[in-house]
Each structure stands twice: as C-alpha cells, then as structure tokens.
Amino acid sequence: TPFSSNVCANDGQYEFQINDSIGDGICCGYGTGSYLVKFGTAVKASGGEFTSSETKTFGTCGSTPPPTTGSTPPPSAPPTAPPTNGSTPPPTNGSTPPPTAPPTPVPTAPPTVPPTPVPTVPPTAPPTPVPTAPPTNPPTAQPTAPVTPAPTTGGGAVAQGAIFDSSYGVPKCANMGSSCDSLALLDGRGTISNGNEPNHSNTNNIGNTCNDGNSGIYHSDESIDQITVTAGDIESGVPVPSGDFITEGGRAYVTVKLWCWGSGASDTADIYLTKDASSPDWEPLD
C-alpha cells in the first residue's frame, strides 16, 4: 500500500531512518517494496532491501549568513493640511410637521382555529427489543496439551497414559514422564472377531506402514494388547524403574502384554526403535 508524508524543512543536514520489526526489510524476499526521500524535487535517499533498519544522511550543516548592514531611511512625514476657513451656516427655520395617526393600540382578534385534537388511535406496539431465542454459543476449542520439558534426572517424573495421535495414527504420550503406557489403545488386532482394535492398525502413518491382519479370534489367535516404556533398567532379569524422566540417550525398558497362539512356541515378538517418528528409520532392539 503506497504511503507518503510531507515535511516543511529548512536547509541543513538530515537523517532518514526506516525500521522493520520482522527483520527482512520491505524488499525482496516477501514482496517488492521500496522507499524514496526527496528534498524539493531532488532525490536524497532510496532503497528497500535491508534487514531490521537502514539510515541515510543527506544535506549539509552550515551557519546562517549575517543580515545585510545598512541604515534605514527615516519615513517621510506627510504635511498637515491647514483647516478650511469659513463660518458654519445657521440652521434653517421651519415648523415640525405633526406626527401621523398612532397605530391601533390593541391586536386584532385571535384566530378561531382550535388546536389539533389528540389522536384517538394509540400507536402500534414497539418491536421486540431482543430475539426470542438466544444465539447458540460456539463450541470451545479443546486446547492442545502442552509438552512439559523434562529435567535431566528425577524431580517430579510421573507415569503417563497415552492418547491417540491422529497425525501419526498411533498412541502417544503428550507429556514427558517416568513411563508411557498405551493402556487399552492397542487391545485386540485390526478387525479380528470379538476384538476390534481401537484406531486400528495403530501403525505410524509416516514412512512404510505395516497393517495388521484381520483373521482369527480375539485371545485365541495372536495379538499385542499393551506396550509400556519405563525409565530404568533390567537387573538380573528383573525390571527396575529409576523414577526419572524418559530422556534421549537414557536407559529404559519395554514391557509388552501380548497373546500367543497355543503354547506360543511358534510365535515371536520383535521390538523396533526409531530416533525420529516424523522420519522413521527402524532399528531392531536386541
């Protein structure tokens, strides 16, 4: 949008400064803006491509020349005109004519037209000032749960329950904690009989997906029902939670609740890990 401003200024040295709070000037990354500064008809500064600020100085500083010396001639006094000699003529004699007849001392008769009578028909009822039904309030948008940054060790870490993340298509813990539990979000498998998995197939939508099979009967054929990741370690085959936050590079163990077919002798469970869920590169855990 063009913008211009005029200032009445004397000769001298001036400084023009233009600022941009975003830090990308007015040209040329996001638009083709420019500025132009004139003193009279002469262009003194121009531009548009800068970052947060640009300053241009123009004109010169100098002293004001002294006024021209000289004597002021005295004003010419106009001559005074002499009065005209002569006598004032005497007033003329004469009688004052009598005044004309005085006006009528009383007003004429008042008008006989009576005032307008008050209307007999009452005015119509005023309109209803408010609508009969109140407007429907818009629904309140549910805020996104903020992510609480984790300290390096301990200090208030608590277990977290996962919620379904539609952008990834899998359960996700919104806050950092000492553990993250899928709860009942993985219970079942696909559309298996008597055991439809919530939000199936609960496979990361980003990258290569691996959807569940839908054949079989719930808790007769194989299914993974729950996964919990806990900060800690396994000592002598026993899980030992540390109570600290789950952190990148820290120690953690995975607990999987699953259902095997028959004795489970022919089934295996493989667990994979990726460092970046938005660009997964899956690596098997030993």
Side-chain angles (χ1 to χ4, degrees), residues 117-178:
V118 179
T120 56
V121 180
T124 58
T128 305
V130 295
T132 55
T136 305
N137 294 327
T140 302
Q142 184 176 2
T144 304
V147 178
T148 303
T152 54
T153 57
V158 296
Q160 300 291 323
I163 58 175
F164 180 71
D165 188 315
S166 59
S167 61
Y168 286 97
V170 295
K172 169 186 172 182
C173 285
N175 297 316
M176 300 294 291
S178 60

Side-chain angles (χ1 to χ4, degrees), residues 101-241:
T104 305
V106 294
T108 58
T112 57
V113 179
T116 304
V118 179
T120 56
V121 180
T124 58
T128 305
V130 295
T132 55
T136 305
N137 294 327
T140 302
Q142 184 176 2
T144 304
V147 178
T148 303
T152 54
T153 57
V158 296
Q160 300 291 323
I163 58 175
F164 180 71
D165 188 315
S166 59
S167 61
Y168 286 97
V170 295
K172 169 186 172 182
C173 285
N175 297 316
M176 300 294 291
S178 60
S179 64
C180 180
D181 191 341
S182 68
L183 303 174
L185 293 177
L186 300 179
D187 191 21
R189 172 167 54 82
T191 58
I192 191 172
S193 177
N194 300 325
N196 284 359
E197 180 183 7
N199 307 304
H200 56 81
S201 285
N202 286 297
T203 302
N204 192 345
N205 292 331
I206 302 176
N208 296 326
T209 59
C210 181
N211 295 329
D212 293 333
N214 299 316
S215 61
I217 301 175
Y218 177 65
H219 281 184
S220 175
D221 294 284
E222 298 90 336
S223 63
I224 295 176
D225 294 346
Q226 187 175 1
I227 298 176
T228 305
V229 180
T230 306
D233 210 337
I234 296 180
E235 301 176 2
S236 302
V238 179
V240 180

